[in-house]
Amino acid sequence: MKDPTPHGRAFAWLTPRRFAGILALLVLASFPEIAFGLKSFVHRDFGLFAYPIAHYHRDCFWRGELPLWNPLNNGGLPFLAQWNTLTLYPSSLFYLVFPLPWSLNVFCIGHLWWAGVGMFWLAERWTGNRAAAAVAGMAFAFNGLTLNALMWPNNIAALGWMPWVVLCAERGWQKGGRSLALGAVVGAMQMLTGAPEIIFFTWLLLGTFWAVGWLQRTQPRGQMLGRFCGLMVLVFALSAAQLLPFLDLLRHSHRDGQFATGAWAMPAWGIANFLVPQFHMNRSGSGLLFQPGQFWTSSYYPGAAVLALALWAAVRWRQPRAFLLTALLVLSLVLAMGDAGGLYHWIRQAVPAANFMRFPIKFVVLANFVLPLLAAIGVADLWERARESRGRDVPRLVLPLLALAAVIVVSAQFAPFYPFDAAQTLSSAIRSGAFLITVIALVCAPLSTARLGTRLSLILAVLALLWLDAVTHVPWQNPGVPPKILEASSKTGQSAPALGQGRRLLSLAAMNEFYRTNMLDPAANFSQRRSGLHNNVNLIDGIPKVDGFFSLYLPEERRVHFRLYRSEEQIREPLADFLGVAWVTARTNFLEWDNRPTAMPWVSGGQQPLFADAGAALTNIVALDFDPRRNVLLPLEARSLVTATNGTEVRIEKLSWTSQRIQAEVQADSPAWLVFSQVHYHAWHATVDGTEQPVWRANVAFQAVEVPAGRHQVLLVYRDDAFRFGCALSVAGLVLTGMVGRRGRGVTSG
């Protein structure tokens, strides 16, 4: 850690523990009803994705089952391998054990607190000034982006670990031994959160800091290289149980080198929102503000004073680290603009792997991490100069940004996006300007000779103003609802349908209506979507349906799914029958369901096989005269390897269907096919009377198993070999990390 400056020693009373307590009080003040279980988060992806995922995970946990597969959405798809489901993240145990939704809410705000504490430690190490570190910690915990991220448990968890990874990894390659082992454990914790972009940004920072240190020869290069490589190996090994299934699913998923489109980028004028958060922002039906064409985050406002302090550090460039952070800040802003910035488009063309990531706006994560660190450097510099400057630095920090805010206000007057834009921008600029002037005046006060009580009062005032600025800069980003709205129907005496008893299908008109319409009342908004089974809310009650909302899908299922609809109101009836669609959205009411008595069971048998390549099979299955009761479409390569080539009678006498195991007792008059309207994935394995049999791809995206004539026991089991091998690697990683830590006990070399 950098030696404390005189001003740093002046704030020696601001220990990490005390800052953590102050931050905890402000988190509690921000979310009192959430913390005490009186209300729950529900906005956007929290209610439609995160909470249902956690609910399904918790149900599996109490059944004693590891959720490797989800049979309730998209005809089935991997669950643990999605990565962002937090299945193997150790802290998820909190919401698995304690009641939902309270536990998931506390999980999210707890990681918000953890993010601020970690940034405090990192900034103190870099500046030696605890007051500057407190400013950085508060700015990272409370800004528009982190408050928006509370609707994604995996993202807020990854942000919570981000400063800790940078701190511990840097110490790891500098000191080795126990520090290296600790860096590996902390890096693995973030890796298990399952937020790929945030993890990538973290390691981009680490790689940059390491490369600069290597070029500057801050320690022996061979030692530095070995430790950094060792750190990466240990993190990968510790996380392998999660990473290997994810990489396997990614390889088989719909994402490829052409996936990214550059959509949802920060507009060129979006830089103004770092200072005037409501400039050119459109109010959605839910009452929140969004940039036109960008709906990933409702804000990335860091605080006007934080921006001023960061720019002060960037302009003065008194430290090489400040120069490096400034370069990363500029890079993140250019990339956040997407193809309009030029660099992002070039990277997508030169590095196809970059196309796996969606939404360039996510690069503002890097900016919102760098800005608090630059602000800490700026605070440390200002307090070192406070006695000699005697307040002259205040106008130097404030006036340029006030002038810029005035330009932004004028531009909104002459070129408004919306009728209310000018007034909204003016109000936002005045508010930000007031916080800017007040905070900077306090920061630039000569505190070195002041009494302890005065210093305490002023720094607490600065922290309180930074917090207040963050929580008031836009309409409240985290509306709450009574927890009972999220309760499962089982608590009201209703039971979930058993697997295999029919799926539900939202009409295209219903899905479009849900995406178009938002209600100001968050409780009514969620209740409406829950009644219509929008996105993943079906997981709360264990209701199977045809679609879902996930990061990774299996491409063959997507091809079939997109062709299921003939129009907003009409579906392809034979295909819907095969998929077991027993209920479809009512044409007269999007919140009610019409029964379809022609739906087939999830397992059928005796169809005559038709062998076709992928293109011909897709054409046939969406044809209106296709009869899934009489025919099954199989790949061409199966023709020479199977014996069942005719239709026959098959009786399914016993059937047991759980999420990862399907067992059927069948009677066939001659060799026949057993067809499952469950998506084909290579981790499914079949046996007939204990003998391994191939699971063939049927009807483009689903499963079929050949059975001989007579009575047989057919068993399908989900066995993820990538997960098994990953578990073995993770155990080895734990042993190796322990050995590194024990070997380095007491070692402080480097």
Side-chain angles (χ1 to χ4, degrees):
M1 184 180 75
K2 183 178 177 180
D3 292 334
T5 63
H7 276 76
R9 290 192 295 272
F11 289 98
W13 53 266
L14 189 58
T15 62
R17 181 176 296 180
R18 286 173 177 155
F19 173 76
I22 293 169
L23 186 60
L25 289 175
L26 291 177
V27 170
L28 186 61
S30 304
F31 308 100
E33 294 178 310
I34 297 293
F36 292 109
L38 302 178
K39 285 192 175 181
S40 171
F41 294 135
V42 75
H43 180 61
R44 292 183 64 196
D45 285 3
F46 188 92
L48 300 178
F49 175 79
Y51 177 75
I53 290 292
H55 200 287
Y56 179 75
H57 185 187
R58 191 174 188 274
D59 285 346
C60 292
F61 175 81
W62 286 104
R63 290 199 303 265
E65 177 183 287
L66 188 64
L68 297 173
W69 181 260
N70 167 22
L72 300 174
N73 293 96
N74 300 93
L77 77 169
F79 185 88
L80 177 146
Q82 291 283 339
W83 194 9
N84 57 5
T85 55
L86 293 163
T87 308
L88 297 182
Y89 178 54
S91 299
S92 296
L93 190 64
F94 181 78
Y95 63 74
L96 298 182
V97 172
F98 293 101
L100 289 172
W102 173 81
S103 55
L104 186 62
N105 293 318
V106 173
F107 174 94
C108 292
I109 62 175
H111 281 90
L112 184 76
W113 171 83
W114 189 238
V117 174
M119 182 58 78
F120 177 93
W121 277 95
L122 178 60
E124 185 192 16
R125 175 178 171 84
W126 283 8
T127 65
N129 187 311
R130 286 180 175 174
V135 169
M138 189 62 63
F140 188 58
F142 285 100
N143 61 73
L145 187 70
T146 52
L147 291 174
N148 180 81
L150 286 171
M151 66 175 167
W152 299 301
N154 66 310
N155 280 0
I156 193 63
L159 288 170
W161 284 104
M162 194 173 183
W164 292 102
V165 176
V166 174
L167 171 68
C168 296
E170 186 180 53
R171 294 184 62 184
W173 73 64
Q174 289 175 352
K175 294 186 176 184
R178 297 180 71 177
S179 296
L180 185 64
L182 178 61
V185 171
V186 170
M189 287 294 289
Q190 190 199 39
M191 196 68 70
L192 292 172
T193 63
E197 293 88 356
I198 296 173
I199 294 168
F200 169 74
F201 298 146
T202 304
W203 283 88
L204 176 63
L205 286 165
L206 287 177
T208 304
F209 297 149
W210 176 87
V212 170
W214 189 81
L215 291 173
Q216 293 177 338
R217 294 181 181 271
T218 55
Q219 65 188 91
R221 285 184 169 179
Q223 181 190 72
M224 198 172 179
L225 177 63
R227 287 175 177 173
F228 189 65
C229 292
L231 175 69
M232 291 190 292
V233 169
L234 288 176
V235 170
F236 179 83
L238 290 170
S239 313
Q242 178 65 79
L243 288 178
L244 292 188
F246 165 73
L247 294 173
D248 188 35
L249 175 59
L250 181 64
R251 183 169 62 93
H252 290 91
S253 77
H254 71 304
R255 296 203 183 197
D256 55 25
Q258 305 299 319
F259 180 73
T261 62
W264 287 17
M266 181 181 75
W269 52 262
I271 293 177
N273 293 131
F274 282 93
L275 178 61
V276 183
Q278 297 192 32
F279 172 64
H280 281 350
M281 298 287 276
N282 183 27
R283 191 175 298 270
S284 69
S286 62
L288 272 72
L289 301 180
F290 288 93
Q291 294 170 332
Q294 185 280 110
F295 299 98
W296 183 70
T297 180
S298 56
S299 174
Y300 43 76
Y301 176 68
V306 173
L307 180 64
L309 294 167
L311 293 177
W312 176 267
V315 171
R316 286 178 61 80
W317 284 351
R318 294 183 59 186
Q319 296 183 21
R321 188 170 270 147
F323 177 83
L324 183 59
L325 290 172
T326 302
L328 289 169
L329 174 62
V330 173
L331 175 66
S332 67
L333 296 179
V334 172
L335 290 172
M337 294 180 189
D339 291 345
L343 183 58
Y344 180 76
H345 178 75
W346 179 84
I347 291 175
R348 289 206 297 127
Q349 298 297 318
V351 186
N355 287 291
F356 285 95
M357 185 183 80
R358 299 180 70 186
F359 311 148
I361 184 62
K362 292 183 179 181
F363 280 99
V364 298
V365 169
L366 191 57
N368 280 71
F369 183 84
V370 165
L371 283 168
L373 290 170
L374 279 172
I377 295 172
V379 169
D381 178 69
L382 287 167
W383 278 336
E384 287 178 14
R385 293 166 40 86
R387 184 179 299 177
E388 61 186 70
S389 68
R390 297 184 179 181
R392 289 190 296 270
D393 288 332
V394 174
R396 297 173 185 173
L397 276 87
V398 169
L399 292 180
L401 288 184
L402 290 180
L404 180 58
V407 171
I408 294 170
V409 169
V410 171
S411 70
Q413 294 282 346
F414 287 97
F417 274 20
Y418 309 100
F420 51 81
D421 192 18
Q424 177 177 286
T425 300
L426 177 61
S427 173
S428 181
I430 292 173
R431 193 208 64 87
S432 295
F435 278 105
L436 170 66
I437 294 170
T438 307
V439 173
I440 295 301
L442 293 175
V443 168
C444 292
L447 300 180
S448 59
T449 58
R451 295 180 180 180
L452 175 61
T454 303
R455 294 199 299 268
L456 173 62
S457 298
L458 286 176
I459 189 58
L460 289 179
V462 167
L463 297 180
L465 287 169
L466 291 176
W467 165 76
L468 189 61
D469 188 12
V471 299
T472 62
H473 71 282
V474 291
W476 188 232
Q477 296 170 270
N478 310 104
V481 298
K484 64 180 181 180
I485 291 175
L486 294 164
E487 288 182 353
S489 60
S490 58
K491 293 188 176 182
T492 62
Q494 302 179 38
S495 59
L499 293 177
Q501 291 186 358
R503 297 184 175 97
R504 301 201 180 213
L505 173 67
L506 279 75
S507 68
L508 195 57
M511 285 193 286
N512 291 337
E513 181 67 18
F514 286 136
Y515 282 118
R516 282 194 302 260
T517 305
N518 280 294
M519 304 170 67
L520 280 174
D521 182 354
N525 195 48
F526 177 76
S527 296
Q528 183 182 70
R529 280 160 170 71
R530 184 169 179 184
S531 297
L533 294 184
H534 189 215
N535 285 349
N536 294 344
V537 294
N538 64 300
L539 293 176
I540 300 174
D541 297 315
I543 299 174
K545 68 176 190 140
V546 174
D547 71 308
F549 176 44
F550 294 91
S551 296
L552 299 176
Y553 303 95
L554 298 173
E556 294 81 9
E557 184 273 336
R558 302 307 285 165
R559 294 188 190 106
V560 173
H561 182 84
F562 288 148
R563 290 165 175 80
L564 179 57
Y565 299 98
R566 298 177 61 192
S567 67
E568 282 201 341
E569 297 291 351
Q570 294 181 311
I571 61 175
R572 301 186 188 277
E573 300 289 345
L575 180 55
D577 287 348
F578 170 71
L579 293 175
V581 176
W583 297 272
V584 66
T585 305
R587 294 192 177 189
T588 57
N589 189 334
F590 293 154
L591 307 183
E592 295 182 356
W593 300 90
D594 288 337
N595 180 252
R596 295 187 70 256
T598 59
M600 294 172 58
W602 291 14
V603 184
S604 57
Q607 292 92 332
Q608 180 177 358
L610 302 176
F611 301 96
D613 60 29
L618 186 60
T619 301
N620 277 276
I621 198 172
V622 299
L624 295 180
D625 60 352
F626 176 70
D627 187 350
R629 292 174 172 80
R630 296 182 58 188
N631 298 114
V632 59
L633 296 160
L634 298 175
L636 289 174
E637 57 268 25
R639 189 197 302 269
S640 60
L641 300 174
V642 301
T643 58
T645 57
N646 296 307
T648 187
E649 184 178 355
V650 171
R651 294 177 295 280
I652 302 173
E653 299 179 350
K654 292 183 181 179
L655 178 64
S656 171
W657 193 308
T658 61
S659 59
Q660 292 160 198
R661 182 186 177 92
I662 307 168
Q663 188 169 4
E665 183 175 318
V666 300
Q667 175 75 39
D669 292 344
S670 59
W673 288 97
L674 206 59
V675 182
F676 302 81
S677 61
Q678 175 171 260
V679 169
H680 185 277
Y681 190 61
H682 64 88
W684 281 97
H685 300 268
T687 59
V688 177
D689 298 330
T691 302
E692 188 87 14
Q693 294 290 332
V695 180
W696 292 98
R697 189 180 298 279
N699 291 344
V700 180
F702 303 93
Q703 300 172 334
V705 176
E706 186 182 22
V707 294
R711 184 181 297 275
H712 302 283
Q713 296 286 339
V714 180
L715 179 65
L716 264 70
V717 177
Y718 189 87
R719 187 177 69 239
D720 192 337
D721 293 333
F723 172 68
R724 292 184 174 191
F725 183 59
C727 287
L729 279 182
S730 292
V731 171
L734 280 171
V735 173
L736 185 58
T737 302
M739 293 173 60
V740 170
R742 288 180 61 85
R743 183 179 180 183
R745 182 174 296 174
V747 176
T748 58
S749 61

